[in-house]
Amino acid sequence: SERLELVHKGLGEMHALAANVGDLKKVLTNVKTRGVLGEVQLAALLDQILTPDQYATNVATRPGSKDRVEFAIRLPGQDAEHPVWLPLDAKFPTEDYQRLQAAQETADATAMEQAAKALEARVRLEAKTIAEKYIEPPFTTEFGLLYLPTEGLYAEALRRPGLFESLQRDHRVVLCGPTTLAALLSSLQMGFRTLAIEKDRKSTRLNSSHSQQS
């Protein structure tokens, strides 16, 4: 009786898990919801590594443009009122990625290549959009960042021959996954700290010089 009770309990947990997976699949099949998930994940990553004054949301990086990029990192410019923006946009092309995974599971080489090409085309389109809408030197950096919110999706994009280099050459866009973006943000944070230290040193030397003259 005890074993049967455990079996029934286990079956109940499996049914609950299956229902939850089904609910998650419904969520991920909604384009708007997927976009929100990517934005939320990206916002959390930025919040963990950078300070609130080092990035902004919904930024019109091109003067006079109504297009606003989801996130932009604030880099030093002429002065505090005129920073140089680094555009950062998150995309989640789940349908193409899911079709590619399904083809891989069935070892269908033709379907795999078709799905991979569709994924590549979607990534290229998103990179072109970032270049046309958000990159505008000297108001922005010479390049923008396209964030793919899962390591699997990022890895599949990297597997496409020449895609990574082509996006940089043709659209000035760099692909990033969660790990690579975290590393990049950490490097930027170190740069920000170095600039702050150097600024403090200059201020101290200037004050010291004024004191000696007085």
Side-chain angles (χ1 to χ4, degrees):
S1 298
E2 291 176 356
R3 291 179 179 177
L4 284 173
E5 185 178 351
L6 290 173
V7 169
H8 284 298
K9 183 178 179 182
L11 288 173
E13 292 175 351
M14 289 177 64
H15 283 303
L17 179 60
N20 291 335
V21 170
D23 292 340
L24 179 60
K25 186 175 181 180
K26 290 178 181 178
V27 169
L28 292 177
T29 54
N30 183 286
V31 175
K32 184 176 180 180
T33 303
R34 283 200 312 276
V36 171
L37 289 174
E39 290 179 19
V40 169
Q41 187 191 61
L42 180 53
L45 192 58
L46 289 167
D47 183 61
Q48 289 173 8
I49 300 176
L50 302 180
T51 61
D53 62 331
Q54 291 172 344
Y55 71 95
T57 60
N58 296 319
V59 182
T61 55
R62 303 181 70 178
S65 175
K66 294 182 180 180
D67 295 316
R68 293 180 175 271
V69 67
E70 294 171 355
F71 299 94
I73 300 172
R74 184 183 282 106
L75 301 176
Q78 296 179 353
D79 50 54
E81 299 298 325
H82 300 88
V84 174
W85 295 107
L86 170 54
L88 173 56
D89 205 7
K91 296 301 175 184
F92 203 163
T94 307
E95 290 95 343
D96 298 317
Y97 181 46
Q98 287 178 340
R99 280 194 289 268
L100 178 57
Q101 287 183 312
Q104 289 172 342
E105 289 175 359
T106 58
D108 187 334
T110 302
M112 285 171 57
E113 182 59 20
Q114 291 176 347
K117 285 183 177 179
L119 177 61
E120 177 180 343
R122 175 67 184 279
V123 171
R124 288 185 183 277
L125 178 61
E126 300 296 354
K128 182 181 178 182
T129 299
I130 291 174
E132 293 176 347
K133 290 185 176 181
Y134 309 130
I135 300 177
E136 187 70 25
F139 306 101
T140 71
T141 54
E142 294 282 347
F143 65 97
L145 302 177
L146 173 54
Y147 177 65
L148 301 177
T150 71
E151 294 294 353
L153 179 57
Y154 176 62
E156 291 298 343
L158 290 185
R159 287 193 182 98
R160 297 303 297 167
L163 176 60
F164 189 86
E165 296 79 6
S166 175
L167 295 183
Q168 294 186 38
R169 182 181 63 252
D170 299 336
H171 303 300
R172 297 175 295 169
V173 169
V174 178
L175 279 181
C176 294
T179 302
T180 52
L181 181 60
L184 175 61
L185 294 177
S186 297
S187 298
L188 287 174
Q189 180 62 277
M190 291 179 65
F192 290 144
R193 290 176 181 175
T194 301
L195 288 174
I197 292 171
E198 185 61 26
K199 184 177 180 180
D200 290 340
R201 287 178 178 174
K202 288 182 179 179
S203 178
T204 300
R205 287 198 297 266
L206 184 61
N207 291 335
S208 176
S209 176
H210 285 324
S211 299
Q212 290 176 2
Q213 291 177 1
S214 299

